[in-house]
Amino acid sequence: MSQMQATRKRVLPGFGLTMGYSVLYLSLVVLVPLSALLLNSTGLTWGKFWDVATDARVLASYKVSFLCAAAAALIDLFLGLLIAWVLVRYEFPGKRMFDAVIDLPFALPTAVAGVALTALYAQNGWIGSMFEPLGWKMAYSQTGITLALMFIGIPFVVRTVQPVLEELDKDEEEVAATLGAGRWRTFRSVIVPELVPPLLTGFALAFARGIGEYGSVVFISGNMPMKTEIAPLLIMSKLEQNDYAGATAVALMLLVISFVLLFVINSFQRWSRRRAV
Amino acid sequence: MKRNYKTGLILGLSLVLTMVLSACGASKEGMQADGSSASGSKDVELLNVSYDPTRELYEAYNKAFAAHWEKEKGQKVTIKQSHGGSGKQSRSVQDGLDADVVTLALGYDIDALQEKGLVKEGWQSKYEHNSSPYTSTIVLLVRKGNPKGIKDWDDLTRGDVQVITPNPKTSGGARWNYLAAWAYALKKSNNDEAKAQQFVQELYKHVPVLDSGARGATTTFVERGIGDVLIAWENEALLSVKELGADKFDIVYPSISILAEPPVAVVDKVVDKKGTREVADAYLKYLYSEEGQTIAAENYYRPTLESVTAKYKDQFPNLELVTLKDVFGTWKETQQKHFSDKGIFDQIYVPGSS
């Protein structure tokens, strides 16, 4: 009986057929390219692979890539929540416009973002020139990289938090209020638990995007080896030497670390969702 | 249920596979039809894969060559251009971009094509002047009036000077910059390699931003106002001065520099397949003609034909120029020693090596 119901509820015909399509398309678009990456680095012996992937300069670049991406995603987490909150809870003139602008970093070629941000934050740019006398270098430093990654990461947080915030039941807040909870208490105990899963998703997406970001960062980072050089740039530099195997070795390492990190974040998110329900 | 799932999976897989395969087949047929029509009719099409700053040069040259070829053979030729970073362009051709000719920034990028069997051995001696119809050199671009009084390479390692140059590991053009500085230091220290390395290392300590490409470095220097001197190709420097106004920048010619030789080659494997060898060969040869050389000079490349050189001698001052061959040997050796991983350039930046 229950099985009958389950079959009737399916929108797409036949689990087998749809699953077949899904697996095939996922293979063509994601899995096969990724395994080609693996295959490309097989030109190296294990020892050589390890040498390339753990070279001092490569390690420094992983550190820059991951730390800046994490910092940017963390800042985006708070910033994104605030923006989503304002968009959902308040009415103000130009709200639609404001809402549409959020998506622009998705659409804009990242190189354009890089050029625009560099123009702003360089020593002679509008904003950069204000911080220059204070001895704070914005562009051509890790601050610059983080700024660029914040820019391209912010829509991920806003767009994952916004719908959940919209769906949130006003009744629960009212109940909390009638039970004597203050505003902060309501926010902390009623709203935040609901928002943790989407916030984690947003964080993971912004973080993942930041690790792989190339276009906007190469313009604003200054690309100084050991200091502001990102891992994707080293991949480019290896390709420039026609060193496909070396480039894929670095890429593979990046892929593995990213996957592990994303897996951990996703598990954490699933755990928190289960706990919330 | 289980069987249902399995048949579905197989059905789905085979359905899409047939779709994909038939699409591939169709495109292959289309290509063949295209190819035969090209060799059958009188029209012919060439693809010139080049690097970034030659865009204007080849726009002008392609028109001139098409007119020349039509007059000579009565055949209409259209030339398509593709521009990008020199190394990236070379990789596109290696990965299957059907270029009839390549006109790149360094021999190393064509050597890579030779290694893949796309270009025959000995390409560099196929045309005159190491297969470089036009040349250039590396000069110093400073701000108007030369406020820091920069005269030669030595000034670039002075405490108060900031130098802008792109990363030689990601930019082919930047390798010439690095080699020019190295050649100067080597000459000054009577061929003491250790001293040359010290000098170049010191110079790169004065580089606050290491852009990934030459145009990026120009933007950093010109638009962002960073640095006191930009190490640049002469043609790019002349273009900057012309485009941005002579009231903003001056060109400083160092006492010694390197002769930058951007080489050209026919991609043998492609022209044999497409049957375009004759016209591709003529296309490169015509670069050496009076007309081709004049167009090169008008686009700020140093011509190699003496009659044209004489005409443009005001534009290209004389200075001592060493060639790559004289000082460094082949590109393969140079690349291996200086720019490969753990090569000299890497040692400059990895801690503990200084």
Side-chain angles (χ1 to χ4, degrees):
Chain A
M1 179 66 192
S2 66
Q3 204 187 334
M4 283 267 293
Q5 263 177 345
T7 1
R8 219 177 295 143
K9 265 187 198 160
R10 280 175 187 154
V11 181
L12 293 175
F15 170 73
L17 190 64
T18 44
M19 180 68 185
Y21 269 114
S22 303
V23 169
L24 185 87
Y25 280 117
L26 192 70
S27 304
L28 284 181
V29 177
V30 181
L31 298 178
V32 172
L34 286 184
S35 41
L37 192 66
L38 209 97
L39 212 70
N40 234 326
S41 66
T42 49
L44 295 172
T45 61
W46 177 245
K48 184 94 203 311
F49 172 84
W50 193 248
D51 265 6
V52 171
T54 60
D55 177 64
R57 215 171 135 185
V58 177
L59 285 182
S61 76
Y62 291 144
K63 208 171 126 193
V64 172
S65 276
F66 283 102
L67 281 184
C68 288
L74 206 66
I75 300 170
D76 277 345
L77 194 68
F78 292 101
L79 225 58
L81 176 59
L82 191 72
I83 293 172
W85 187 272
V86 168
L87 279 174
V88 170
R89 293 285 165 112
Y90 303 107
E91 283 303 323
F92 54 91
K95 184 174 161 180
R96 286 269 172 77
M97 200 71 134
F98 190 69
D99 195 44
V101 165
I102 302 289
D103 282 331
L104 274 184
F106 275 150
L108 204 65
T110 52
V112 176
V115 170
L117 289 171
T118 314
L120 268 185
Y121 291 107
Q123 281 118 313
N124 64 348
W126 281 358
I127 304 175
S129 59
M130 284 187 248
F131 286 85
E132 185 69 14
L134 307 172
W136 195 8
K137 220 169 136 200
M138 308 279 280
Y140 312 118
S141 69
Q142 294 194 359
T143 314
I145 303 178
T146 310
L147 279 167
L149 297 183
M150 277 167 60
F151 177 80
I152 54 150
I154 191 99
F156 288 100
V157 180
V158 177
R159 289 299 183 233
T160 45
V161 173
Q162 203 178 7
V164 179
L165 211 53
E166 266 163 7
E167 294 287 305
L168 220 57
D169 219 340
K170 258 259 147 65
D171 298 351
E172 287 177 28
E173 285 170 60
E174 280 161 14
V175 168
T178 54
L179 290 174
R183 284 188 162 192
W184 172 242
R185 180 85 197 273
T186 311
F187 179 73
R188 210 187 47 188
S189 312
V190 177
I191 300 174
V192 167
E194 293 284 329
L195 289 182
V196 167
L199 276 174
L200 274 173
T201 308
F203 175 82
L205 289 173
F207 179 60
R209 183 80 173 81
I211 294 166
E213 180 53 24
Y214 177 76
S216 60
V217 179
V218 288
F219 288 102
I220 205 170
S221 70
N223 305 321
M224 298 308 289
M226 313 299 291
K227 282 184 224 137
T228 59
E229 196 171 52
I230 53 165
L233 186 77
L234 273 184
I235 296 174
M236 283 302 288
S237 127
K238 292 212 186 297
L239 287 176
E240 198 69 24
Q241 304 162 49
N242 284 303
D243 181 9
Y244 282 73
T248 41
V250 177
L252 203 61
M253 202 68 179
L254 207 61
L255 188 75
V256 170
I257 306 175
S258 308
F259 182 77
V260 170
L261 283 172
L262 288 177
F263 188 76
V264 169
I265 296 172
N266 274 346
S267 313
F268 191 58
Q269 179 203 342
R270 208 162 300 126
W271 173 77
S272 70
R273 186 173 286 156
R274 220 176 301 136
R275 218 182 50 142
V277 173
Chain B
M1 188 65 198
K2 206 169 179 190
R3 228 181 97 205
N4 196 6
Y5 157 72
K6 237 183 199 167
T7 32
L9 194 82
I10 292 166
L11 202 72
L13 270 167
S14 50
L15 196 76
V16 178
L17 261 180
T18 17
M19 270 162 60
V20 170
L21 285 180
S22 63
C24 288
S27 72
K28 207 165 205 174
E29 263 165 45
M31 254 166 75
Q32 265 164 359
D34 231 332
S36 61
S37 78
S39 56
S41 85
K42 286 185 95 189
D43 289 359
V44 62
E45 198 177 276
L46 285 183
L47 174 62
N48 176 6
V49 170
S50 193
Y51 63 111
D52 267 327
T54 57
R55 191 170 282 111
E56 293 79 16
L57 162 64
Y58 280 107
E59 256 161 35
Y61 175 71
N62 289 346
K63 263 188 227 135
F65 176 75
H68 161 77
W69 187 253
E70 191 162 15
K71 211 170 84 191
E72 191 113 300
K73 302 266 173 176
Q75 189 184 35
K76 234 180 136 106
V77 55
T78 22
I79 300 130
K80 285 190 177 166
Q81 297 169 252
S82 161
H83 296 272
S86 186
K88 207 180 83 213
Q89 294 294 81
S90 166
R91 275 195 307 285
S92 306
V93 175
Q94 287 171 50
D95 291 340
L97 180 64
D98 272 342
D100 299 273
V101 294
V102 283
T103 51
L104 297 173
L106 3 130
Y108 176 73
D109 293 327
I110 300 183
D111 282 339
L113 294 177
Q114 184 196 315
E115 241 159 67
K116 293 258 156 134
L118 285 156
V119 172
K120 279 186 197 141
E121 224 169 298
W123 63 268
Q124 191 135 36
S125 50
K126 206 167 159 203
Y127 303 102
E128 280 172 73
H129 304 287
N130 283 327
S131 289
S132 301
Y134 41 80
T135 63
S136 191
T137 184
I138 305 301
V139 299
L140 309 172
L141 190 69
V142 296
R143 304 197 185 279
K144 187 71 197 174
N146 198 355
K148 296 265 166 115
I150 287 156
K151 298 218 171 56
D152 208 345
W153 293 102
D154 269 331
D155 297 314
L156 304 195
T157 56
R158 251 172 32 204
D160 62 331
V161 173
Q162 283 198 323
V163 184
I164 302 296
T165 176
N167 186 344
K169 297 204 42 153
T170 51
S171 158
R175 273 169 233 170
W176 288 111
N177 297 1
Y178 168 102
L179 295 173
W182 185 280
Y184 164 80
L186 206 59
K187 171 113 187 190
K188 204 186 89 180
S189 65
N190 285 321
N191 292 326
D192 185 338
E193 289 244 330
K195 282 206 176 123
Q197 180 169 344
Q198 219 171 13
F199 177 82
V200 173
Q201 181 157 358
E202 193 55 40
L203 194 157
Y204 275 91
K205 275 193 190 143
H206 289 76
V207 179
V209 176
L210 210 53
D211 282 290
S212 61
R215 276 283 156 93
T218 309
T219 309
T220 301
F221 181 73
V222 171
E223 310 271 331
R224 312 268 174 269
I226 291 174
D228 305 300
V229 51
L230 173 77
I231 308 180
W233 284 52
E234 183 185 38
N235 61 305
E236 287 281 279
L238 284 166
L239 196 70
S240 294
V241 168
K242 187 193 150 211
E243 267 185 11
L244 305 159
D247 53 336
K248 283 201 183 116
F249 303 99
D250 285 333
I251 294 175
V252 171
Y253 282 88
S255 63
I256 175 173
S257 191
I258 198 161
L259 183 71
E261 297 167 295
V264 301
V266 166
V267 184
D268 295 292
K269 207 169 166 187
V270 174
V271 293
D272 285 346
K273 189 180 76 189
K274 285 165 72 175
T276 48
R277 179 176 287 281
E278 193 194 351
V279 58
D281 182 54
Y283 178 76
L284 294 185
K285 270 198 185 126
Y286 196 63
L287 280 169
Y288 289 91
S289 70
E290 179 112 23
E291 189 179 16
Q293 291 286 298
T294 307
I295 291 170
E298 276 166 0
N299 285 280
Y300 308 114
Y301 282 96
R302 291 186 174 227
T304 47
L305 193 71
E306 241 158 70
S307 59
V308 180
T309 313
K311 236 192 309 183
Y312 283 87
K313 68 175 186 295
D314 292 342
Q315 190 173 311
F316 305 110
N318 252 323
L319 71 160
E320 190 184 345
L321 292 175
V322 298
T323 65
L324 183 85
K325 221 169 166 183
D326 291 343
V327 183
F328 300 95
T330 67
W331 261 114
K332 207 171 169 180
E333 290 158 6
T334 313
Q335 177 77 24
Q336 189 65 31
K337 183 169 164 192
H338 292 271
F339 306 118
S340 70
D341 282 344
K342 306 222 162 85
I344 292 174
F345 186 75
D346 274 2
Q347 288 166 29
I348 286 176
Y349 275 105
V350 177
S353 62
S354 60

